């Protein structure tokens, strides 16, 4: 539901507007009515509304000053300006700031509804376009790319047709079952023409369907392009393919599959018979099937790390250390940046699927960071020490903790929104133990003080909430993690923990900058 604010210095007018419209029916929610420009400006900065109805002449700050001030922010607001007779010059000024709706007072209810409908339609279109912004697509495409390349490498060693069970570690990362997928097999494409062919398709896609992520795989004389089902494919078939003149003996074959699982299963069953399989990007073909030995060892190492993590048995603990060493050695042996990124992403997918190493949000952050680093030495320096530390923490802090520590952590998870949560409260009212004993025991077994642990849990939860909802209010998130009594303090703690403000982190994780 879109958010609306109303400002007019005449009480009867602002109350009449707020009461005369059936806002729910229009899919709109009035968050507040205000009497002057200063009040409405503060409300805009706090609420980030979609639509603002404002009078021109108001005390404190007039409507034009308000619009000009908001124009310098990154807020995307549809203004509906209300003005008295004889103020047309104000309308001209408002239009220079992009205002599309200007109503002369007194206006009828139908005129106001018409303006609101038009503003709502513009907001909805812009919101839809924003969801498919180029940067947002890059982030989604990078994650999907990592998954697809990982599946290519894993499927190369399958003795029979593609095993759907290989998809399980990736289910939480992308849509595997809801959206239909199209596959276009372009037979007759030589390897030297594969890149230019794919770039022609991507240029066509950006023009006709900018919200679609294209993926492509190349095997001998065949470019396989696949994407979520979209009507633009018919235009592509009728117009684009005829323009690709360099295709020799060109033959096209198109399939529509019920979901990504069916699509990737068909593709990987088809490609597994070829000696060389490449994932196609805009500037190169990336081979992903020539590293069977490393892939086998890494996959086995990851699974054994997951199996042995946290087991208190000394022999199993030794096994865990050996498998971690094997995993790290294999990563360190890789000399190709693309393959290192893919192998690192593969390890993260497996470990996070077994609740080891890091959360889903942290894994996403790591994968995005790996995409930025180009040199193999820099990639190793960034990722291997981080993974080493996290796997050590997984052994030290997972299932080996005693029941008391597990009880404390469970209690924290269930009561995280309580701003008064303390170890003293947990010790005396939940564990019925001496707080000094509990504090020393917690620090000894976890390696951190309880206050440090609580802050880390709160910040990690805040990151997850921001990642789940890019329009979430800061105050609501602060409440959910137990810091709602001071959003400013929450922002300070979040910045100290992550190195950026909550709003900056939201823009980064949702691809808005």
């Amino acid at each position: 539901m879109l958010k609306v604010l109303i400002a007019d210095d005449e009480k009867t007018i602002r109350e009449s507007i707020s009461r005369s419209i059936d806002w729910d029916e229009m899919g709109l929610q009035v968050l507040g009515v205000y009497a002057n420009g200063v009040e409405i400006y503060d409300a805009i900065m706090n609420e980030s509304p979609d639509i603002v109805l404002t009078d021109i002449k108001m005390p404190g700050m007039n409507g034009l000053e308000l619009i000009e001030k908001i124009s310098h922010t990154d807020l995307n607001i549809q203004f509906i300006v209300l003005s008295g007779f004889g103020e047309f010059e104000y309308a001209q000024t408002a239009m220079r700031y992009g205002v599309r709706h200007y109503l002369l007072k007194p206006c009828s209810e139908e005129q106001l509804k018409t303006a609101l409908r038009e503003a709502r339609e513009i907001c909805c279109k812009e919101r839809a376009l924003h969801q498919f912004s180029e940067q947002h697509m890059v982030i989604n495409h990078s994650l999907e790319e990592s998954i697809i390349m990982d599946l290519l490498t894993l499927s190369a060693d399958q003795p029979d047709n593609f095993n759907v069970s290989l998809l399980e570690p990736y289910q939480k990362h992308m849509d595997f079952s809801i959206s239909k997928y199209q596959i276009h097999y372009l037979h007759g494409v030589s390897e030297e023409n594969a890149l230019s062919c794919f770039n022609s398709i991507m240029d066509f896609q950006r023009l006709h369907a900018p919200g679609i992520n294209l993926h492509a795989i190349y095997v001998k004389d065949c470019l396989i392009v696949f994407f979520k089902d979209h009507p633009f494919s018919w235009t592509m078939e009728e117009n684009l393919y005829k323009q690709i003149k360099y295709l020799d003996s060109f033959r096209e074959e198109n399939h529509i599959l019920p979901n990504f699982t069916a699509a990737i299963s068909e593709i990987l069953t088809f490609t597994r018979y070829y000696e060389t399989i490449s994932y196609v990007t805009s500037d190169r073909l990336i081979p992903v099937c020539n590293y069977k030995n490393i892939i086998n060892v890494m996959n086995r190492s990851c699974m054994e790390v997951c199996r042995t993590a946290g087991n208190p048995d000394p022999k199993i603990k030794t096994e865990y250390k050996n498998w971690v060493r094997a995993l790290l050695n294999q990563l360190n042996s890789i000399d190709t940046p693309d393959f290192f990124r893919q192998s690192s992403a593969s390890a993260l997918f497996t470990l996070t699927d077994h609740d080891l190493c890091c959360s889903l949000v942290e894994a996403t952050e790591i994968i995005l960071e790996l995409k930025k680093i180009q040199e193999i030495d820099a990639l190793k320096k960034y990722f291997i020490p981080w993974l080493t530390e996290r796997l050590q923490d997984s052994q030290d802090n997972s299932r080996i903790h005693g029941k008391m520590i597990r009880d404390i952590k469970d209690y924290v998870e269930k009561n995280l929104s309580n701003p008064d949560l303390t170890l003293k409260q947990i010790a005396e009212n939940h564990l019925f133990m001496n707080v000094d004993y509990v504090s020393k025991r917690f620090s000894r077994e976890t390696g951190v003080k309880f206050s440090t642990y609580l802050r880390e849990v709160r910040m990690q939860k805040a990151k997850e909430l921001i990642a789940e909802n890019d329009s979430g209010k800061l105050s609501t998130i602060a409440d959910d993690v137990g810091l709602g009594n001071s959003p400013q303090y929450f922002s300070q703690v979040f910045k100290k923990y992550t190195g950026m403000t909550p709003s900056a982190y939201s823009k980064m994780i949702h691809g808005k900058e």
Side-chain angles (χ1 to χ4, degrees):
M1 187 171 286
L2 300 182
K3 298 179 290 187
V4 179
L5 296 178
I6 301 170
D8 197 297
D9 62 344
E10 297 183 45
K11 182 178 180 180
T12 55
I13 292 179
R14 62 178 181 265
E15 289 185 352
S16 173
I17 292 173
S18 65
R19 293 174 181 173
S20 62
I21 303 295
D22 188 339
W23 300 99
D24 287 338
E25 182 184 21
M26 298 192 71
L28 303 173
Q29 178 187 11
V30 176
L31 300 182
V33 293
Y34 302 91
N36 64 65
V38 175
E39 288 181 355
I40 188 68
Y41 174 76
D42 290 341
I44 289 173
M45 299 309 293
N46 288 331
E47 301 290 349
S48 299
D50 301 286
I51 300 171
V52 172
L53 286 85
T54 180
D55 191 10
I56 287 287
K57 293 186 176 181
M58 294 185 295
M61 183 189 304
N62 67 42
L64 295 181
E65 292 172 335
L66 171 69
I67 294 168
E68 179 184 10
K69 200 171 182 66
I70 295 300
S71 71
H72 297 303
T73 71
D74 60 356
L75 296 175
N76 190 7
I77 296 173
Q78 290 298 309
F79 282 95
I80 299 177
V81 175
L82 305 173
S83 174
F85 180 76
E87 298 174 353
F88 182 71
E89 69 275 12
Y90 293 131
Q92 292 177 310
T93 302
M95 290 174 186
R96 288 202 296 269
Y97 291 114
V99 175
R100 309 183 195 188
H101 303 96
Y102 193 95
L103 299 179
L104 192 64
K105 295 192 294 186
C107 62
S108 67
E109 180 179 329
E110 192 54 44
Q111 287 176 313
L112 183 57
K113 284 183 176 181
T114 299
L116 286 167
R117 289 191 194 100
E118 292 174 357
R120 180 190 62 193
E121 183 177 352
I122 293 170
C123 286
C124 290
K125 287 181 179 179
E126 291 182 348
R127 179 177 292 186
L129 287 174
H130 178 70
Q131 291 174 351
F132 296 115
S133 68
E134 184 175 351
Q135 290 176 316
H136 191 74
M137 283 181 61
V138 167
I139 290 177
N140 287 338
H141 192 276
S142 295
L143 291 175
E144 292 178 4
E145 177 183 288
S146 294
I147 291 172
I148 293 166
M149 290 175 65
D150 200 26
L151 291 173
L152 279 174
T153 58
L154 292 174
S155 66
D157 290 327
Q158 294 296 304
D160 301 311
N161 286 350
F162 176 70
N163 188 347
V164 177
S165 65
L166 291 177
L167 301 176
E168 292 178 1
Y170 312 95
Q171 298 287 344
K172 63 180 73 173
H173 298 271
M174 63 179 288
D175 167 20
F176 272 68
S177 58
I178 298 175
S179 302
K180 292 182 179 180
Y181 267 75
Q182 289 194 33
I183 306 175
H184 290 230
Y185 296 89
L186 306 182
H187 301 281
V189 181
S190 66
E191 184 173 351
E192 64 181 8
N193 288 329
L195 275 181
S196 57
C197 182
F198 184 53
N199 277 302
S200 295
I201 295 173
M202 285 198 297
D203 290 341
F204 194 83
Q205 168 261 327
R206 292 188 189 103
L207 179 63
H208 294 277
I212 295 296
N213 278 337
L214 294 184
H215 297 284
I217 293 172
Y218 183 80
V219 291
K220 186 177 181 180
D221 295 329
C222 184
L223 180 66
I224 307 166
V225 181
F226 54 105
F227 48 88
K228 286 185 180 180
D229 189 27
H230 193 281
F232 98 97
S233 62
W234 301 113
T235 309
M236 184 166 65
E237 293 169 27
E238 293 174 0
N239 299 320
L240 173 65
Y241 294 153
K242 296 176 182 178
Q243 300 171 15
I244 304 177
K245 304 296 185 183
Y246 50 75
L247 295 179
D248 299 325
S249 305
F250 172 71
R251 180 171 62 85
E252 176 196 358
E253 179 185 351
N254 302 330
H255 296 172
I256 297 180
L257 282 300
N259 50 48
F260 179 80
T261 298
I264 200 68
S265 297
E266 177 181 305
I267 292 169
L268 295 180
T269 298
F270 175 82
T271 59
R272 63 182 297 274
Y273 296 105
Y274 292 86
E275 182 178 351
T276 301
I277 308 170
S278 296
Y279 183 86
V280 185
T281 69
S282 60
D283 59 355
R284 65 192 186 278
L285 274 65
I286 304 173
V288 293
C289 65
N290 296 327
Y291 309 98
K292 291 185 179 181
N293 184 52
I294 293 177
I295 293 165
N296 285 338
V297 172
M298 284 196 59
N299 189 43
R300 172 80 187 281
S301 298
C302 283
M303 295 308 297
E304 291 296 333
V305 165
C306 295
R307 179 183 67 83
T308 56
N311 194 311
D313 185 291
K315 291 180 64 176
I316 303 299
K317 289 176 71 174
T318 300
E319 283 188 47
Y320 176 86
K321 293 178 180 178
N322 290 338
W323 285 115
V324 168
R325 189 179 301 112
L327 172 59
L328 296 173
N329 286 342
Q330 285 298 327
L331 279 171
N332 201 43
S333 71
I334 298 173
D335 293 319
T336 306
D338 286 325
F339 187 54
F340 184 91
R341 292 189 199 92
Q342 182 54 33
S343 299
S344 300
S346 176
L348 282 176
F349 287 136
T350 301
L351 295 170
T352 56
D353 188 58
H354 288 78
D355 297 321
L356 285 178
C357 182
C358 64
S359 68
L360 174 58
V361 171
E362 287 179 294
T364 301
E365 293 173 355
I366 293 296
I367 291 173
L368 291 175
E369 190 63 30
L370 290 173
K371 295 285 184 183
K372 301 175 184 177
I373 304 173
Q374 301 303 315
E375 301 296 330
I376 185 64
D377 290 341
L379 284 166
K380 291 180 181 180
K381 186 176 180 180
Y382 170 77
F383 185 72
I384 293 179
W386 177 88
L387 183 61
T388 302
E389 181 181 354
R390 288 307 180 95
L391 290 177
Q392 181 62 45
D393 290 343
S394 293
Q395 176 65 8
D396 291 342
N397 299 328
S398 58
R399 295 184 291 270
I400 62 175
H401 292 320
K403 183 177 184 302
M404 185 189 77
I405 303 301
R406 294 197 301 271
D407 285 347
I408 293 174
K409 291 185 174 183
D410 289 343
Y411 191 91
V412 167
E413 183 177 350
K414 294 175 183 177
N415 296 273
L416 194 61
S417 62
N418 180 4
D420 301 319
L421 185 62
T422 63
L423 187 59
K424 186 175 187 294
Q425 175 196 12
I426 298 173
E428 294 178 354
N429 300 329
H430 179 65
L431 300 175
F432 304 102
M433 293 182 180
N434 178 272
V435 65
D436 291 333
Y437 168 79
V438 173
S439 177
K440 292 176 182 177
R441 178 83 176 273
F442 187 92
S443 297
R444 184 173 68 251
E445 289 198 28
T446 65
V448 295
K449 293 182 179 180
F450 176 80
S451 59
T452 301
Y453 168 77
L454 179 59
R455 183 174 64 252
E456 290 177 350
V457 172
R458 280 176 164 158
M459 292 302 98
Q460 184 59 36
K461 182 64 175 178
K463 289 165 65 177
E464 293 173 1
L465 291 172
I466 293 172
E468 290 170 2
N469 184 5
D470 62 341
S471 61
K473 293 182 183 178
L474 181 60
S475 58
T476 301
I477 294 174
D479 281 331
D480 290 341
V481 300
L483 296 175
N485 55 346
S486 179
Q488 184 178 3
Y489 173 68
F490 164 69
S491 295
Q492 293 172 348
V493 173
F494 189 92
K495 184 174 182 179
K496 184 176 180 180
Y497 182 80
T498 64
M500 60 183 74
T501 63
S503 58
Y505 180 82
S506 177
K507 290 180 180 178
M508 184 273 289
I509 203 70
H510 294 287
K512 296 180 180 178
E513 64 177 13

